[in-house]
Amino acid sequence: METTGFWPALGEADRGKVAELAVRRSYRRGDVVCREGDRAAVVVLLLSGHVRITNATSDGREIVIAVRGAGDVVGELGAIDGGPRSATVAALDDLDALVLPAARFAALCRREAAISWALLLVLADRLRDIGRQRLDVGGGTITRRVAAQLMQLAVQHGVRRGDDIVIAIPGTQAELATTAAVSRESWARVTRELRRLGVLSTARGQVVIHRFAELSRLAR
């Protein structure tokens, strides 16, 4: 996946300022990077790999709300406002990351205008994407949930065929909709629109991702 987000928005000198305050850390697939409700102690900058971002529902289900990858930053909101983690972040595959104490990251942003501006651009882009999803597909957070679910399946089960990624779907449409916490009709509507946009195509028992970067944008 092409590197996007906070890290490439920084110049070389600012990357060095971030890196000198951080510890490089690896996570294995399935490791929990941070858990919903915990104190926000660190900010994590992803150098390689993917994470899924989930919320727990009142009935105990785990809902995938986004997938993020190389270049993205996670845990930044807790560093900004001091609040608890708003979601659980777990490794979808092996990760390489820079981990910074939240207080040091916040102080760095206050001190370095270029770094705080890069973070602001990331947050603005995420807000714009939510708006685009509502306009483009009509689903808002529903679109992001379905896209995040498909991203997760692509990372964990996808097989490369040229520029495409082929996913053998592990379940029925109704089961996939339940996992994404949307109705079957909403899941079908979003995937139908994604087909129209050329993001993917479907056949019995499989989904083929044609525009991985666009799916990634919708999942963020």
Side-chain angles (χ1 to χ4, degrees):
M1 183 171 124
E2 183 182 353
T3 302
T4 60
F6 179 68
W7 191 244
L10 298 177
E12 186 174 348
D14 288 322
R15 289 185 187 184
K17 292 172 185 176
V18 172
E20 70 183 12
L21 297 177
V23 174
R24 195 149 185 162
R25 179 171 175 182
S26 296
Y27 296 87
R28 301 296 298 274
R29 176 178 172 176
D31 285 351
V32 174
V33 178
C34 59
R35 197 174 298 277
E36 184 176 0
D38 285 355
R39 184 175 66 88
V42 297
V43 173
V44 180
L45 174 60
L46 305 177
L47 300 179
S48 66
H50 302 81
V51 296
R52 65 174 186 167
I53 300 175
T54 62
N55 283 138
T57 65
S58 58
D59 60 1
R61 288 180 297 155
E62 187 180 66
I63 306 302
V64 179
I65 58 171
V67 171
R68 300 211 170 108
D72 277 323
V73 61
V74 295
E76 75 288 344
L77 292 181
I80 292 171
D81 65 8
R85 297 295 189 197
S86 59
T88 294
V89 179
L92 274 177
D93 47 8
D94 291 346
L95 300 178
D96 187 23
L98 294 176
V99 180
L100 298 80
R104 288 189 179 185
F105 181 77
L108 182 65
C109 288
R110 287 194 294 268
R111 189 169 64 248
E112 302 289 343
I115 294 175
S116 60
W117 183 254
L119 183 62
L120 183 61
L121 290 176
V122 168
L123 297 177
D125 190 52
R126 290 176 186 171
L127 288 174
R128 285 184 185 276
D129 276 346
I130 292 172
R132 288 191 199 109
Q133 289 170 27
R134 291 196 178 98
L135 291 172
D136 294 346
V137 188
T141 57
I142 291 174
T143 300
R144 188 169 63 182
R145 288 179 194 171
V146 173
Q149 180 189 55
L150 292 170
M151 278 284 293
Q152 178 177 334
L153 290 171
V155 170
Q156 292 184 327
H157 306 294
V159 176
R160 281 274 181 188
R161 289 186 185 169
D163 294 332
D164 296 337
I165 299 174
V166 180
I167 310 167
I169 296 299
T172 66
Q173 190 177 89
E175 289 169 338
L176 291 170
T178 298
T179 303
V182 300
S183 68
R184 182 179 179 277
E185 292 75 16
S186 294
W187 199 93
R189 184 180 70 247
V190 172
T191 54
R192 183 168 58 248
E193 185 65 11
L194 292 176
R195 285 196 301 271
R196 188 188 70 81
L197 295 171
V199 174
L200 56 79
S201 58
T202 58
R204 188 174 184 84
Q206 74 174 22
V207 172
V208 181
I209 308 299
H210 304 298
R211 298 171 60 196
F212 188 81
E214 178 63 10
L215 185 67
S216 176
R217 181 186 73 78
L218 291 169
R220 291 174 185 270

